[in-house]
Amino acid sequence: MNPSTEARKRDLVKSALQNFIITPVPDAMLVNDQAQQWLKKYEIAFAMDWLPTGEARGFKQSGVNALIELTSILRKEEPTYRRGTRPERLAVHVAHSIVAVFKNCLASIPTPDNIVAIEKEVRQSFAAKAVTCTHCIPCRIIPEHASSFSVGPVEFYSQEDLIKRENISKGNPLKEMSYGPLLEFMQSQSAYWVADVTVDGFDDVSGLERANIAIDLALIAVQIAIPPYYSRCMARLTDRTLPSTIGSVTKVGGNARFGSQRCDPGLGFSAGAFDQFLSRSAPILVSIGNRVRGFITDNAVLPKLDQSWSDAAYWLHEGLTEPLDTVAVTKLETAIEVLLSAASSKNSGSRLEDAFSSFYGLSPECSYPSGSNRKVKHVVKAIVESRSRILHGTLSTLTADSLATDNHGGRRMLEFLCMDLLAAFSLKLDAYALITAPKDDIKDFLQFVSAERKPAT
């Protein structure tokens, strides 16, 4: 226990109490902006709640400042808070805990025992919100029923399976009431799949956010397993998705013509083919499942390398679904840089050359792809420079067509490279985690990959 920190906590609680306000009961019901005017009259910057009697309780700005600093101290001391909630929501727990501990003794001088009681109240309040929760998120994968499958802790299954599993029918009104709105939403959006993922140790908002991102990471396994033509737009409905059908009217001369385009991912890809491709890619699904599990639990063997993979996978997912080629290329290049933990453009180039050497055994002078007239060093240079030029405005985002076709084989080649690197990285990371005392560092990892690739002498 740090005496200076504990003394600071007491000072902050004292400041919060001194700036805690309970307003009188209004003479009449407050409507529209009258409530805000009422709070402003009493200098309340943070309105904690309104009592049944009509009184408002809250803190002046100085009290809010004290709450923010106290919350920051508690977050530094408690990893569960940093992981499971956002600072502004933890501050609400802190505010209510201070008021609950002091109740009718708001003018008291805080003691060390009071601080202990407040921290206990915050822990209990947070724990009550951070319960184990399974999120059911609708997804667009293919527009028909196929076998259910899992990517680590994320399970994907069709709408048909959902109805059977939960026994949703008019004969079961409670289930129909619970799942009916979800099924109606899925039908309106032409979504036929659901992803289930269970999270623990988060409040409702942070838990849903973690679940959504975990599903994105799990979908990368599917997008790697299925040809990009069918898989690039696979996404959860809580993400940025295109409508199932896009309609437009085109005028030529005096004639107007309506046209429409189906945008469903997996359109024309049969359920049988889908099952076969996933079955062939089972090792990839298992390996990426390990990355997803590490992301959800924050319990990876190699947290830095796992985090680099997860960050890169999210950028890859964004890049695959991006309609504009130049933006897609920028996102895909970012995925590669993040994967290799590059901290600068100089590091990006050398690290990417190391990746080509470690994973593919290709030196900077080798051709890539095999048989082309492009060398690895040219591909690396283009990947590093084009992203920087777009982000710094020296290459047009909207008209730089050559970026997607000439510089390094175009978007399709970059998608292949990015997906191949992420798949290989994940598989090798599983093997690397099993050696004695592996270092959580990209350089050591790439050296391991290189050593594994070379035949024993």
Side-chain angles (χ1 to χ4, degrees):
M1 182 179 295
N2 188 326
S4 62
T5 301
E6 296 306 308
R8 184 58 182 160
K9 288 179 182 178
R10 292 198 298 274
D11 289 342
L12 292 170
V13 172
K14 179 180 178 181
S15 177
L17 290 171
Q18 289 173 341
N19 289 277
F20 181 68
I21 301 295
I22 301 178
T23 70
V25 178
D27 295 332
M29 181 179 294
L30 303 175
V31 297
N32 299 327
D33 61 347
Q34 291 178 347
Q36 289 301 319
Q37 292 173 358
W38 182 258
L39 296 174
K40 186 176 181 181
K41 176 181 178 181
Y42 291 96
E43 302 179 54
I44 294 180
F46 165 51
M48 195 174 75
D49 53 21
W50 292 80
L51 299 175
T53 57
E55 301 160 304
R57 301 192 303 175
F59 294 86
K60 293 182 179 181
Q61 187 58 55
S62 294
V64 173
N65 295 341
L67 289 173
I68 291 172
E69 185 178 343
L70 179 58
T71 299
S72 179
I73 293 173
L74 296 181
R75 290 185 77 247
K76 288 178 181 177
E77 294 178 341
E78 293 282 351
T80 53
Y81 298 153
R82 297 196 300 272
R83 175 179 183 266
T85 189
R86 293 178 181 171
E88 63 271 19
R89 291 199 296 277
L90 182 61
V92 174
H93 288 296
V94 172
H96 280 273
S97 297
I98 290 173
V99 174
V101 166
F102 283 88
K103 295 180 182 177
N104 298 322
C105 306
L106 298 174
S108 302
I109 302 298
T111 66
D113 288 343
N114 293 143
I115 303 303
V116 171
I118 290 169
E119 293 184 13
K120 180 180 178 181
E121 186 75 23
V122 172
R123 281 193 295 273
Q124 291 176 341
S125 177
F126 171 73
K129 295 289 185 180
V131 296
T132 302
C133 181
T134 299
H135 295 274
C136 305
I137 310 295
C139 299
R140 280 195 187 140
I141 298 180
I142 61 172
E144 59 179 295
H145 166 77
S147 300
S148 62
F149 63 95
S150 295
V151 180
V154 181
E155 183 180 13
F156 295 92
Y157 52 93
S158 70
Q159 176 181 290
E160 181 179 319
D161 285 336
L162 171 65
I163 293 171
K164 290 179 181 178
R165 289 182 183 199
E166 300 298 334
N167 188 25
I168 304 169
S169 65
K170 292 184 178 179
N172 193 338
L174 289 178
K175 287 295 181 71
E176 189 177 33
M177 185 182 302
S178 298
Y179 287 94
L182 174 64
L183 292 173
E184 290 176 8
F185 175 60
M186 291 175 65
Q187 183 176 2
S188 70
Q189 300 296 318
S190 300
Y192 300 88
W193 287 77
V194 174
D196 271 8
V197 57
T198 300
V199 296
D200 181 48
F202 301 91
D203 63 18
D204 50 356
V205 176
S206 294
L208 179 58
E209 181 181 77
R210 184 66 64 109
N212 279 330
I213 296 175
I215 290 168
D216 289 343
L217 302 184
L219 280 171
I220 281 296
V222 187
Q223 290 176 301
I224 289 174
I226 305 298
Y229 177 82
Y230 297 103
S231 67
R232 69 174 62 257
C233 292
M234 291 179 178
R236 52 184 167 84
L237 283 190
T238 48
D239 196 3
R240 296 183 295 276
T241 55
L242 292 171
S244 173
T245 302
I246 296 177
S248 62
V249 173
T250 304
K251 289 184 179 180
V252 178
N255 299 318
R257 182 178 62 193
F258 174 77
S260 64
Q261 178 184 3
R262 289 288 299 274
C263 299
D264 306 74
L267 188 66
F269 197 68
S270 71
F274 182 78
D275 289 345
Q276 288 178 10
F277 272 82
L278 290 188
S279 179
R280 291 177 200 163
S281 302
I284 295 294
L285 268 65
V286 171
S287 180
I288 291 180
N290 293 334
R291 310 283 81 75
V292 178
R293 185 175 294 106
F295 173 77
I296 288 178
T297 62
D298 290 313
N299 195 29
V301 176
L302 300 160
K304 290 182 181 178
L305 291 170
D306 257 88
Q307 186 64 55
S308 293
W309 187 94
S310 296
D311 291 338
Y314 188 84
W315 278 107
L316 170 58
H317 181 68
E318 289 284 298
L320 290 173
T321 58
E322 172 60 49
L324 192 62
D325 282 347
T326 49
V327 177
V329 164
T330 303
K331 291 178 177 179
L332 294 168
E333 290 166 350
T334 300
I336 293 174
E337 290 196 14
V338 169
L339 179 68
L340 301 176
S341 306
S344 67
S345 59
K346 181 178 180 180
N347 286 341
S348 296
S350 60
R351 196 65 57 75
L352 188 49
E353 287 184 353
D354 289 344
F356 271 104
S357 175
S358 298
F359 285 102
Y360 306 123
L362 299 176
S363 72
E365 297 297 329
C366 290
S367 297
Y368 184 85
S370 179
S372 73
N373 59 2
R374 283 184 297 272
K375 295 182 178 181
V376 167
K377 64 181 181 181
H378 298 143
V379 174
V380 169
K381 185 174 185 290
I383 287 176
V384 172
E385 289 185 357
S386 57
R387 172 181 175 272
S388 178
R389 290 183 64 195
I390 284 183
L391 295 179
H392 289 88
T394 61
L395 192 66
S396 171
T397 304
L398 304 181
T399 61
D401 295 335
S402 62
L403 179 68
T405 56
D406 300 335
N407 279 10
H408 43 81
R411 174 178 180 174
R412 300 298 175 261
M413 189 281 286
L414 188 55
E415 285 177 345
F416 172 80
L417 174 62
C418 197
M419 288 192 288
D420 195 58
L421 277 175
L422 259 80
F425 193 105
S426 184
L427 289 167
K428 291 299 183 182
L429 195 55
D430 289 332
Y432 184 57
L434 296 177
I435 69 172
T436 303
K439 292 183 179 180
D440 194 8
D441 179 82
I442 185 64
K443 290 183 179 179
D444 291 276
F445 173 61
L446 290 179
Q447 288 173 1
F448 166 83
V449 174
S450 183
E452 268 218 327
R453 183 186 51 76
K454 295 176 182 177
T457 56

